[in-house]
Protein backbone atom coordinates (compact mmCIF):
# COMPACT_ATOMS: atom_id res chain seq x y z
CA UNK A 1 0.00 0.00 0.00
CA UNK A 2 1.20 3.49 -0.88
CA UNK A 3 -0.32 6.65 0.59
CA UNK A 4 0.19 9.92 -1.30
CA UNK A 5 -0.80 13.44 -0.29
CA UNK A 6 -2.08 15.09 -3.49
CA UNK A 7 -1.96 18.54 -1.88
CA UNK A 8 1.83 18.36 -2.25
CA UNK A 9 1.55 18.48 -6.04
CA UNK A 10 0.33 21.08 -8.53
CA UNK A 11 -1.39 20.66 -11.90
CA UNK A 12 1.02 19.53 -14.64
CA UNK A 13 3.64 18.72 -11.98
CA UNK A 14 6.57 16.95 -13.67
CA UNK A 15 7.46 14.88 -10.60
CA UNK A 16 3.88 13.76 -10.04
CA UNK A 17 3.69 12.64 -13.65
CA UNK A 18 6.87 10.60 -13.24
CA UNK A 19 5.58 9.16 -9.97
CA UNK A 20 2.40 7.99 -11.66
CA UNK A 21 4.39 6.36 -14.44
CA UNK A 22 6.19 4.29 -11.80
CA UNK A 23 2.99 3.46 -9.90
CA UNK A 24 1.29 2.28 -13.08
CA UNK A 25 3.85 -0.50 -13.31
CA UNK A 26 2.96 -1.81 -9.85
CA UNK A 27 0.04 -3.84 -8.53
CA UNK A 28 0.19 -2.02 -5.20
CA UNK A 29 -2.96 -0.23 -4.06
CA UNK A 30 -2.59 3.54 -3.82
CA UNK A 31 -4.49 5.87 -1.51
CA UNK A 32 -4.59 9.46 -2.77
CA UNK A 33 -5.42 11.88 0.03
CA UNK A 34 -6.44 15.50 -0.46
CA UNK A 35 -7.84 18.38 1.56
CA UNK A 36 -7.86 21.23 -0.98
CA UNK A 37 -10.02 21.45 -4.14
CA UNK A 38 -6.94 22.06 -6.33
CA UNK A 39 -5.93 18.42 -5.90
CA UNK A 40 -9.01 17.39 -7.88
CA UNK A 41 -7.56 19.10 -10.94
CA UNK A 42 -4.71 16.62 -11.11
CA UNK A 43 -4.91 14.03 -13.88
CA UNK A 44 -4.76 10.55 -12.35
CA UNK A 45 -3.49 7.58 -14.30
CA UNK A 46 -6.36 5.10 -14.67
CA UNK A 47 -3.90 2.20 -14.85
CA UNK A 48 -3.19 2.71 -11.14
CA UNK A 49 -5.29 0.80 -8.62
CA UNK A 50 -6.17 3.84 -6.52
CA UNK A 51 -8.73 5.30 -4.16
CA UNK A 52 -9.26 9.08 -3.91
CA UNK A 53 -10.23 10.24 -0.43
CA UNK A 54 -10.85 13.61 1.21
CA UNK A 55 -8.59 13.41 4.27
CA UNK A 56 -10.65 15.91 6.26
CA UNK A 57 -13.60 13.49 6.22
CA UNK A 58 -11.66 10.62 7.79
CA UNK A 59 -9.32 12.48 10.16
CA UNK A 60 -11.25 11.39 13.26
CA UNK A 61 -10.20 7.79 12.72
CA UNK A 62 -7.66 7.39 9.95
CA UNK A 63 -6.78 3.79 10.69
CA UNK A 64 -10.33 2.43 10.66
CA UNK A 65 -11.08 4.05 7.33
CA UNK A 66 -7.86 2.95 5.68
CA UNK A 67 -8.32 -0.61 6.89
CA UNK A 68 -11.78 -0.53 5.35
CA UNK A 69 -10.36 0.70 2.03
CA UNK A 70 -7.40 -1.64 1.74
CA UNK A 71 -7.14 -4.31 4.38
CA UNK A 72 -10.37 -6.29 4.28
CA UNK A 73 -8.42 -9.29 2.95
CA UNK A 74 -6.49 -9.39 6.24
CA UNK A 75 -9.62 -10.82 7.83
CA UNK A 76 -8.94 -14.06 5.97
CA UNK A 77 -5.44 -14.43 7.38
CA UNK A 78 -4.66 -16.39 10.50
CA UNK A 79 -3.79 -13.60 12.89
CA UNK A 80 -3.65 -13.85 16.65
CA UNK A 81 -5.23 -10.64 17.91
CA UNK A 82 -4.42 -9.20 21.29
CA UNK A 83 -6.99 -9.86 23.97
CA UNK A 84 -9.66 -7.16 24.08
CA UNK A 85 -9.19 -7.04 27.85
CA UNK A 86 -5.50 -6.25 27.40
CA UNK A 87 -5.66 -3.54 24.73
CA UNK A 88 -2.73 -1.15 25.00
CA UNK A 89 -2.88 2.44 23.79
CA UNK A 90 -0.12 4.11 21.78
CA UNK A 91 0.10 7.83 21.04
CA UNK A 92 1.64 8.28 17.58
CA UNK A 93 3.06 11.78 17.04
CA UNK A 94 4.39 12.73 13.59
CA UNK A 95 3.76 15.57 11.15
CA UNK A 96 4.29 13.19 8.23
CA UNK A 97 0.68 12.14 7.75
CA UNK A 98 1.36 9.30 5.33
CA UNK A 99 3.97 7.65 7.52
CA UNK A 100 1.91 8.19 10.67
CA UNK A 101 -1.14 6.61 9.09
CA UNK A 102 0.82 3.64 7.79
CA UNK A 103 2.42 3.02 11.19
CA UNK A 104 -0.97 3.42 12.83
CA UNK A 105 -2.42 0.74 10.57
CA UNK A 106 0.33 -1.71 11.53
CA UNK A 107 -0.27 -1.05 15.21
CA UNK A 108 -4.05 -1.24 15.04
CA UNK A 109 -3.99 -4.45 13.02
CA UNK A 110 -1.93 -5.95 15.85
CA UNK A 111 -4.55 -5.00 18.42
CA UNK A 112 -3.27 -1.68 19.74
CA UNK A 113 -5.49 1.33 20.24
CA UNK A 114 -3.84 4.19 18.34
CA UNK A 115 -4.21 7.91 19.00
CA UNK A 116 -2.86 10.29 16.34
CA UNK A 117 -1.24 13.72 16.78
CA UNK A 118 0.52 15.77 14.11
CA UNK A 119 2.77 17.75 16.48
CA UNK A 120 3.77 18.12 20.12
CA UNK A 121 1.03 20.62 20.92
CA UNK A 122 -1.70 18.20 19.85
CA UNK A 123 0.10 15.36 21.59
CA UNK A 124 -0.05 17.18 24.92
CA UNK A 125 -3.75 17.92 24.41
CA UNK A 126 -4.36 14.22 23.85
CA UNK A 127 -2.45 13.28 26.99
CA UNK A 128 -4.75 15.49 29.05
CA UNK A 129 -7.73 13.55 27.72
CA UNK A 130 -6.43 10.00 27.43
CA UNK A 131 -4.18 7.56 29.26
CA UNK A 132 -1.68 5.84 26.97
CA UNK A 133 0.83 3.05 27.51
CA UNK A 134 3.48 4.20 25.04
CA UNK A 135 4.36 7.29 22.99
CA UNK A 136 6.08 7.14 19.60
CA UNK A 137 7.20 10.61 18.56
CA UNK A 138 9.04 12.32 15.74
CA UNK A 139 11.84 14.73 16.60
CA UNK A 140 11.31 17.57 14.12
CA UNK A 141 7.72 18.86 13.97
CA UNK A 142 6.02 22.25 13.56
CA UNK A 143 4.78 24.17 16.62
CA UNK A 144 6.51 21.82 19.08
CA UNK A 145 9.12 19.16 18.40
CA UNK A 146 9.78 15.88 20.15
CA UNK A 147 12.40 17.10 22.61
CA UNK A 148 10.32 19.98 23.97
CA UNK A 149 7.21 17.79 24.12
CA UNK A 150 9.09 15.17 26.12
CA UNK A 151 10.35 17.86 28.52
CA UNK A 152 6.76 18.93 29.13
CA UNK A 153 5.59 15.36 29.71
CA UNK A 154 8.41 14.64 32.16
CA UNK A 155 8.28 17.88 34.14
CA UNK A 156 4.85 19.50 33.84
CA UNK A 157 2.38 18.45 36.55
CA UNK A 158 -0.45 18.61 34.02
CA UNK A 159 0.95 15.39 32.55
CA UNK A 160 1.82 13.75 35.86
CA UNK A 161 0.03 10.53 34.92
CA UNK A 162 2.42 10.13 31.97
CA UNK A 163 5.60 11.10 33.77
CA UNK A 164 6.94 7.56 33.42
CA UNK A 165 5.23 6.55 30.19
CA UNK A 166 7.83 5.14 27.74
CA UNK A 167 8.62 7.51 24.87
CA UNK A 168 10.27 6.24 21.69
CA UNK A 169 11.78 8.73 19.28
CA UNK A 170 10.76 7.96 15.69
CA UNK A 171 13.12 9.95 13.47
CA UNK A 172 14.73 9.82 10.02
CA UNK A 173 18.19 10.73 11.31
CA UNK A 174 19.94 11.20 14.62
CA UNK A 175 23.52 12.26 15.18
CA UNK A 176 25.43 11.38 18.36
CA UNK A 177 24.56 14.66 20.10
CA UNK A 178 20.87 14.26 19.33
CA UNK A 179 20.92 10.74 20.74
CA UNK A 180 22.42 12.11 23.94
CA UNK A 181 19.76 14.83 24.03
CA UNK A 182 17.03 12.21 23.80
CA UNK A 183 18.29 10.52 26.93
CA UNK A 184 18.69 13.83 28.79
CA UNK A 185 15.09 14.92 28.25
CA UNK A 186 13.69 11.51 29.19
CA UNK A 187 13.13 9.60 25.96
CA UNK A 188 13.57 5.86 26.37
CA UNK A 189 14.78 4.82 22.93
CA UNK A 190 14.68 5.57 19.23
CA UNK A 191 13.80 4.02 15.88
CA UNK A 192 15.13 5.21 12.54
CA UNK A 193 12.40 5.72 9.96
CA UNK A 194 11.34 4.36 7.64
CA UNK A 195 11.44 1.27 9.84
CA UNK A 196 10.34 -2.25 9.06
CA UNK A 197 7.37 -3.81 10.81
CA UNK A 198 9.79 -6.08 12.70
CA UNK A 199 11.87 -3.12 13.93
CA UNK A 200 8.80 -1.24 15.11
CA UNK A 201 7.35 -4.14 17.09
CA UNK A 202 10.71 -5.18 18.48
CA UNK A 203 11.12 -1.74 19.98
CA UNK A 204 7.55 -1.62 21.29
CA UNK A 205 7.88 -5.02 22.94
CA UNK A 206 10.72 -3.69 25.07
CA UNK A 207 8.18 -1.52 26.88
CA UNK A 208 4.81 -3.26 26.36
CA UNK A 209 4.49 -6.94 27.22
Amino acid sequence: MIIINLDSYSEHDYYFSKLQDKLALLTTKVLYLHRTPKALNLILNEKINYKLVNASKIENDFTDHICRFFFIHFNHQKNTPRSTTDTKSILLVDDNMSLRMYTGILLQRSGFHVIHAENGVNALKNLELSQVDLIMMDLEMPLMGGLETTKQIRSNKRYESHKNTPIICFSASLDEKQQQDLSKVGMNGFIFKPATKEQIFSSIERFIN
Side-chain angles (χ1 to χ4, degrees):
M1 180 192 68
I2 298 174
I3 303 174
I4 297 174
N5 180 10
L6 289 183
D7 293 334
S8 300
Y9 299 94
S10 58
E11 194 172 1
H12 308 304
D13 189 299
Y14 170 80
Y15 294 104
F16 183 63
S17 177
K18 289 298 182 182
L19 173 62
Q20 288 202 102
D21 288 343
K22 296 290 186 182
L23 293 174
L25 300 175
L26 306 175
T27 58
T28 305
K29 293 181 179 180
V30 177
L31 177 62
Y32 286 129
L33 295 178
H34 71 91
R35 290 178 182 273
T36 61
K38 71 171 187 176
L40 300 179
N41 294 325
L42 294 170
I43 299 175
L44 303 180
N45 191 326
E46 293 300 326
K47 293 181 180 180
I48 299 172
N49 184 12
Y50 72 84
K51 179 80 174 180
L52 181 64
V53 179
N54 187 329
S56 62
K57 293 183 178 180
I58 64 171
E59 59 187 0
N60 290 332
D61 202 332
F62 282 120
T63 52
D64 276 349
H65 282 87
I66 293 175
C67 286
R68 195 175 303 127
F69 292 143
F70 292 104
F71 291 92
I72 294 176
H73 64 280
F74 279 13
N75 293 330
H76 302 295
Q77 296 180 350
K78 295 181 180 180
N79 292 329
T80 304
R82 300 173 69 92
S83 169
T84 55
T85 60
D86 189 36
T87 301
K88 301 293 185 180
S89 294
I90 295 179
L91 175 60
L92 196 53
V93 192
D94 197 328
D95 61 319
N96 185 324
M97 182 175 66
S98 297
L99 184 58
R100 188 179 75 244
M101 291 170 62
Y102 173 72
T103 305
I105 290 169
L106 293 180
L107 297 175
Q108 188 173 34
R109 294 304 300 179
S110 293
F112 293 104
H113 172 63
V114 180
I115 301 173
H116 290 262
E118 61 186 11
N119 55 55
V121 173
N122 288 340
L124 295 178
K125 290 179 180 178
N126 276 297
L127 292 180
E128 290 190 82
L129 300 173
S130 307
Q131 187 67 32
V132 302
D133 300 285
L134 179 76
I135 301 169
M136 295 180 66
M137 184 153 49
D138 189 15
L139 200 60
E140 301 291 337
M141 296 179 289
L143 300 182
M144 185 182 292
L147 291 178
E148 180 57 34
T149 306
T150 302
K151 289 179 183 178
Q152 290 292 322
I153 295 171
R154 298 307 189 210
S155 61
N156 193 322
K157 291 185 177 180
R158 295 174 66 178
Y159 316 108
E160 181 71 26
S161 63
H162 289 96
K163 184 176 181 179
N164 297 311
T165 300
I167 302 176
I168 299 174
C169 177
F170 200 35
S171 183
S173 62
L174 290 171
D175 58 32
E176 187 174 343
K177 182 182 182 303
Q178 287 176 317
Q179 292 181 31
Q180 294 174 353
D181 290 340
L182 300 184
S183 179
K184 289 179 181 178
V185 300
M187 283 189 166
N188 303 94
F190 61 88
I191 306 174
F192 288 113
K193 62 181 182 181
T196 65
K197 178 180 178 180
E198 290 72 22
Q199 290 171 327
I200 292 173
F201 285 105
S202 175
S203 185
I204 289 175
E205 287 173 2
R206 290 173 52 201
F207 305 103
I208 297 182
N209 297 319

mmCIF file of all heavy atoms in Angstrom, residues 7 32-36 40 52-66 68-69 97 101:
data_model
loop_
_atom_site.group_PDB
_atom_site.id
_atom_site.type_symbol
_atom_site.label_atom_id
_atom_site.label_comp_id
_atom_site.label_asym_id
_atom_site.label_seq_id
_atom_site.Cartn_x
_atom_site.Cartn_y
_atom_site.Cartn_z
ATOM 1 N N ASP A 7 -2.109 17.103 -2.120
ATOM 2 C CA ASP A 7 -1.956 18.538 -1.884
ATOM 3 C C ASP A 7 -0.509 18.990 -2.056
ATOM 4 O O ASP A 7 -0.230 20.191 -2.142
ATOM 5 C CB ASP A 7 -2.449 18.907 -0.483
ATOM 6 C CG ASP A 7 -3.950 18.724 -0.337
ATOM 7 O OD1 ASP A 7 -4.648 18.802 -1.372
ATOM 8 O OD2 ASP A 7 -4.415 18.492 0.786
ATOM 9 N N TYR A 32 -4.846 8.047 -2.527
ATOM 10 C CA TYR A 32 -4.592 9.459 -2.774
ATOM 11 C C TYR A 32 -5.416 10.274 -1.769
ATOM 12 O O TYR A 32 -6.643 10.227 -1.778
ATOM 13 C CB TYR A 32 -5.009 9.851 -4.186
ATOM 14 C CG TYR A 32 -4.093 9.370 -5.287
ATOM 15 C CD1 TYR A 32 -4.604 8.696 -6.393
ATOM 16 C CD2 TYR A 32 -2.720 9.612 -5.243
ATOM 17 C CE1 TYR A 32 -3.778 8.275 -7.420
ATOM 18 C CE2 TYR A 32 -1.885 9.190 -6.268
ATOM 19 C CZ TYR A 32 -2.416 8.523 -7.346
ATOM 20 O OH TYR A 32 -1.588 8.110 -8.361
ATOM 21 N N LEU A 33 -4.739 11.027 -0.938
ATOM 22 C CA LEU A 33 -5.423 11.875 0.030
ATOM 23 C C LEU A 33 -5.379 13.330 -0.421
ATOM 24 O O LEU A 33 -4.391 13.777 -1.010
ATOM 25 C CB LEU A 33 -4.754 11.759 1.404
ATOM 26 C CG LEU A 33 -4.815 10.401 2.087
ATOM 27 C CD1 LEU A 33 -4.061 10.456 3.410
ATOM 28 C CD2 LEU A 33 -6.239 9.961 2.310
ATOM 29 N N HIS A 34 -6.429 14.066 -0.133
ATOM 30 C CA HIS A 34 -6.438 15.496 -0.455
ATOM 31 C C HIS A 34 -7.319 16.232 0.544
ATOM 32 O O HIS A 34 -8.234 15.662 1.145
ATOM 33 C CB HIS A 34 -6.954 15.722 -1.882
ATOM 34 C CG HIS A 34 -8.426 15.454 -2.029
ATOM 35 N ND1 HIS A 34 -9.385 16.428 -1.871
ATOM 36 C CD2 HIS A 34 -9.101 14.308 -2.316
ATOM 37 C CE1 HIS A 34 -10.585 15.909 -2.059
ATOM 38 N NE2 HIS A 34 -10.449 14.620 -2.322
ATOM 39 N N ARG A 35 -7.027 17.507 0.722
ATOM 40 C CA ARG A 35 -7.842 18.378 1.556
ATOM 41 C C ARG A 35 -8.331 19.589 0.755
ATOM 42 O O ARG A 35 -9.385 20.130 1.028
ATOM 43 C CB ARG A 35 -7.051 18.858 2.778
ATOM 44 C CG ARG A 35 -6.763 17.773 3.806
ATOM 45 C CD ARG A 35 -5.944 18.323 4.960
ATOM 46 N NE ARG A 35 -5.605 17.296 5.935
ATOM 47 C CZ ARG A 35 -6.370 16.941 6.949
ATOM 48 N NH1 ARG A 35 -7.534 17.549 7.129
ATOM 49 N NH2 ARG A 35 -6.003 16.001 7.792
ATOM 50 N N THR A 36 -7.530 20.035 -0.207
ATOM 51 C CA THR A 36 -7.862 21.227 -0.980
ATOM 52 C C THR A 36 -8.470 20.861 -2.327
ATOM 53 O O THR A 36 -8.128 19.843 -2.920
ATOM 54 C CB THR A 36 -6.593 22.070 -1.212
ATOM 55 O OG1 THR A 36 -5.654 21.292 -1.961
ATOM 56 C CG2 THR A 36 -5.972 22.474 0.114
ATOM 57 N N LEU A 40 -8.071 18.068 -6.979
ATOM 58 C CA LEU A 40 -9.013 17.390 -7.876
ATOM 59 C C LEU A 40 -8.745 17.732 -9.340
ATOM 60 O O LEU A 40 -9.301 17.108 -10.237
ATOM 61 C CB LEU A 40 -10.444 17.764 -7.499
ATOM 62 C CG LEU A 40 -10.869 17.382 -6.066
ATOM 63 C CD1 LEU A 40 -12.291 17.837 -5.805
ATOM 64 C CD2 LEU A 40 -10.739 15.880 -5.855
ATOM 65 N N LEU A 52 -9.383 7.647 -4.168
ATOM 66 C CA LEU A 52 -9.258 9.078 -3.909
ATOM 67 C C LEU A 52 -10.122 9.434 -2.702
ATOM 68 O O LEU A 52 -11.329 9.198 -2.714
ATOM 69 C CB LEU A 52 -9.694 9.876 -5.141
ATOM 70 C CG LEU A 52 -9.607 11.397 -5.060
ATOM 71 C CD1 LEU A 52 -8.157 11.833 -4.895
ATOM 72 C CD2 LEU A 52 -10.209 12.017 -6.317
ATOM 73 N N VAL A 53 -9.519 10.003 -1.678
ATOM 74 C CA VAL A 53 -10.234 10.244 -0.425
ATOM 75 C C VAL A 53 -9.950 11.648 0.104
ATOM 76 O O VAL A 53 -8.802 12.101 0.102
ATOM 77 C CB VAL A 53 -9.814 9.219 0.655
ATOM 78 C CG1 VAL A 53 -10.539 9.488 1.979
ATOM 79 C CG2 VAL A 53 -10.104 7.807 0.179
ATOM 80 N N ASN A 54 -10.993 12.314 0.550
ATOM 81 C CA ASN A 54 -10.850 13.606 1.214
ATOM 82 C C ASN A 54 -10.400 13.351 2.651
ATOM 83 O O ASN A 54 -11.152 12.828 3.468
ATOM 84 C CB ASN A 54 -12.185 14.355 1.198
ATOM 85 C CG ASN A 54 -12.058 15.773 1.716
ATOM 86 O OD1 ASN A 54 -11.221 16.064 2.566
ATOM 87 N ND2 ASN A 54 -12.896 16.656 1.224
ATOM 88 N N ALA A 55 -9.176 13.726 2.960
ATOM 89 C CA ALA A 55 -8.588 13.412 4.266
ATOM 90 C C ALA A 55 -9.343 14.057 5.416
ATOM 91 O O ALA A 55 -9.403 13.506 6.515
ATOM 92 C CB ALA A 55 -7.121 13.854 4.296
ATOM 93 N N SER A 56 -9.936 15.216 5.188
ATOM 94 C CA SER A 56 -10.647 15.908 6.264
ATOM 95 C C SER A 56 -11.878 15.138 6.726
ATOM 96 O O SER A 56 -12.343 15.316 7.845
ATOM 97 C CB SER A 56 -11.060 17.306 5.798
ATOM 98 O OG SER A 56 -11.940 17.234 4.692
ATOM 99 N N LYS A 57 -12.392 14.247 5.870
ATOM 100 C CA LYS A 57 -13.596 13.486 6.219
ATOM 101 C C LYS A 57 -13.288 12.221 7.019
ATOM 102 O O LYS A 57 -14.194 11.594 7.560
ATOM 103 C CB LYS A 57 -14.372 13.122 4.952
ATOM 104 C CG LYS A 57 -14.961 14.325 4.235
ATOM 105 C CD LYS A 57 -15.784 13.902 3.033
ATOM 106 C CE LYS A 57 -16.419 15.099 2.350
ATOM 107 N NZ LYS A 57 -17.236 14.707 1.168
ATOM 108 N N ILE A 58 -12.015 11.854 7.075
ATOM 109 C CA ILE A 58 -11.663 10.623 7.795
ATOM 110 C C ILE A 58 -10.665 10.886 8.920
ATOM 111 O O ILE A 58 -10.141 9.962 9.520
ATOM 112 C CB ILE A 58 -11.090 9.557 6.848
ATOM 113 C CG1 ILE A 58 -9.774 10.021 6.233
ATOM 114 C CG2 ILE A 58 -12.081 9.203 5.770
ATOM 115 C CD1 ILE A 58 -9.054 8.941 5.461
ATOM 116 N N GLU A 59 -10.383 12.163 9.217
ATOM 117 C CA GLU A 59 -9.319 12.477 10.163
ATOM 118 C C GLU A 59 -9.635 12.033 11.584
ATOM 119 O O GLU A 59 -8.721 11.855 12.402
ATOM 120 C CB GLU A 59 -9.005 13.969 10.145
ATOM 121 C CG GLU A 59 -10.174 14.861 10.484
ATOM 122 C CD GLU A 59 -9.846 16.343 10.289
ATOM 123 O OE1 GLU A 59 -8.715 16.651 9.892
ATOM 124 O OE2 GLU A 59 -10.734 17.162 10.556
ATOM 125 N N ASN A 60 -10.906 11.817 11.902
ATOM 126 C CA ASN A 60 -11.247 11.391 13.260
ATOM 127 C C ASN A 60 -10.797 9.969 13.562
ATOM 128 O O ASN A 60 -10.590 9.612 14.715
ATOM 129 C CB ASN A 60 -12.755 11.513 13.497
ATOM 130 C CG ASN A 60 -13.201 12.960 13.567
ATOM 131 O OD1 ASN A 60 -12.419 13.825 13.947
ATOM 132 N ND2 ASN A 60 -14.441 13.224 13.191
ATOM 133 N N ASP A 61 -10.682 9.155 12.523
ATOM 134 C CA ASP A 61 -10.203 7.791 12.725
ATOM 135 C C ASP A 61 -9.569 7.281 11.438
ATOM 136 O O ASP A 61 -10.154 6.516 10.691
ATOM 137 C CB ASP A 61 -11.342 6.870 13.163
ATOM 138 C CG ASP A 61 -10.803 5.635 13.886
ATOM 139 O OD1 ASP A 61 -9.651 5.236 13.584
ATOM 140 O OD2 ASP A 61 -11.504 5.094 14.751
ATOM 141 N N PHE A 62 -8.344 7.743 11.178
ATOM 142 C CA PHE A 62 -7.655 7.387 9.950
ATOM 143 C C PHE A 62 -7.542 5.883 9.771
ATOM 144 O O PHE A 62 -7.823 5.331 8.720
ATOM 145 C CB PHE A 62 -6.245 7.981 9.951
ATOM 146 C CG PHE A 62 -6.197 9.438 9.618
ATOM 147 C CD1 PHE A 62 -5.686 10.349 10.522
ATOM 148 C CD2 PHE A 62 -6.651 9.898 8.394
ATOM 149 C CE1 PHE A 62 -5.639 11.694 10.216
ATOM 150 C CE2 PHE A 62 -6.601 11.242 8.081
ATOM 151 C CZ PHE A 62 -6.092 12.154 8.998
ATOM 152 N N THR A 63 -7.107 5.211 10.836
ATOM 153 C CA THR A 63 -6.776 3.790 10.691
ATOM 154 C C THR A 63 -7.992 2.941 10.347
ATOM 155 O O THR A 63 -7.908 2.043 9.509
ATOM 156 C CB THR A 63 -6.117 3.257 11.968
ATOM 157 O OG1 THR A 63 -6.928 3.578 13.100
ATOM 158 C CG2 THR A 63 -4.746 3.864 12.161
ATOM 159 N N ASP A 64 -9.129 3.212 10.968
ATOM 160 C CA ASP A 64 -10.331 2.433 10.664
ATOM 161 C C ASP A 64 -10.732 2.586 9.200
ATOM 162 O O ASP A 64 -11.085 1.619 8.528
ATOM 163 C CB ASP A 64 -11.494 2.877 11.555
ATOM 164 C CG ASP A 64 -11.460 2.185 12.905
ATOM 165 O OD1 ASP A 64 -10.677 1.234 13.048
ATOM 166 O OD2 ASP A 64 -12.200 2.607 13.802
ATOM 167 N N HIS A 65 -10.675 3.815 8.708
ATOM 168 C CA HIS A 65 -11.083 4.054 7.330
ATOM 169 C C HIS A 65 -10.121 3.409 6.338
ATOM 170 O O HIS A 65 -10.548 2.822 5.342
ATOM 171 C CB HIS A 65 -11.168 5.563 7.068
ATOM 172 C CG HIS A 65 -12.398 6.194 7.614
ATOM 173 N ND1 HIS A 65 -12.486 6.656 8.908
ATOM 174 C CD2 HIS A 65 -13.618 6.424 7.056
ATOM 175 C CE1 HIS A 65 -13.681 7.162 9.120
ATOM 176 N NE2 HIS A 65 -14.381 7.030 8.017
ATOM 177 N N ILE A 66 -8.839 3.518 6.607
ATOM 178 C CA ILE A 66 -7.864 2.953 5.675
ATOM 179 C C ILE A 66 -7.948 1.434 5.670
ATOM 180 O O ILE A 66 -7.831 0.788 4.626
ATOM 181 C CB ILE A 66 -6.446 3.425 6.026
ATOM 182 C CG1 ILE A 66 -6.359 4.926 5.777
ATOM 183 C CG2 ILE A 66 -5.406 2.703 5.182
ATOM 184 C CD1 ILE A 66 -5.070 5.535 6.178
ATOM 185 N N ARG A 68 -10.577 -0.219 6.108
ATOM 186 C CA ARG A 68 -11.779 -0.526 5.346
ATOM 187 C C ARG A 68 -11.502 -0.445 3.844
ATOM 188 O O ARG A 68 -12.003 -1.242 3.056
ATOM 189 C CB ARG A 68 -12.894 0.450 5.725
ATOM 190 C CG ARG A 68 -14.275 0.026 5.276
ATOM 191 C CD ARG A 68 -15.333 0.966 5.800
ATOM 192 N NE ARG A 68 -15.295 1.067 7.241
ATOM 193 C CZ ARG A 68 -15.216 2.215 7.905
ATOM 194 N NH1 ARG A 68 -15.168 3.353 7.252
ATOM 195 N NH2 ARG A 68 -15.176 2.237 9.218
ATOM 196 N N PHE A 69 -10.670 0.532 3.448
ATOM 197 C CA PHE A 69 -10.360 0.700 2.033
ATOM 198 C C PHE A 69 -9.467 -0.423 1.493
ATOM 199 O O PHE A 69 -9.651 -0.911 0.397
ATOM 200 C CB PHE A 69 -9.647 2.036 1.796
ATOM 201 C CG PHE A 69 -10.499 3.238 2.021
ATOM 202 C CD1 PHE A 69 -9.971 4.382 2.596
ATOM 203 C CD2 PHE A 69 -11.844 3.233 1.675
ATOM 204 C CE1 PHE A 69 -10.757 5.501 2.804
ATOM 205 C CE2 PHE A 69 -12.633 4.343 1.889
ATOM 206 C CZ PHE A 69 -12.087 5.484 2.460
ATOM 207 N N MET A 97 1.970 12.811 7.652
ATOM 208 C CA MET A 97 0.683 12.138 7.751
ATOM 209 C C MET A 97 0.707 10.733 7.149
ATOM 210 O O MET A 97 0.179 9.785 7.721
ATOM 211 C CB MET A 97 -0.404 12.970 7.080
ATOM 212 C CG MET A 97 -1.795 12.358 7.186
ATOM 213 S SD MET A 97 -3.101 13.408 6.507
ATOM 214 C CE MET A 97 -2.664 13.421 4.766
ATOM 215 N N MET A 101 0.019 7.451 9.368
ATOM 216 C CA MET A 101 -1.143 6.613 9.095
ATOM 217 C C MET A 101 -0.732 5.165 8.840
ATOM 218 O O MET A 101 -1.380 4.234 9.308
ATOM 219 C CB MET A 101 -1.904 7.172 7.893
ATOM 220 C CG MET A 101 -2.592 8.498 8.184
ATOM 221 S SD MET A 101 -3.233 9.285 6.692
ATOM 222 C CE MET A 101 -4.405 8.061 6.149
#
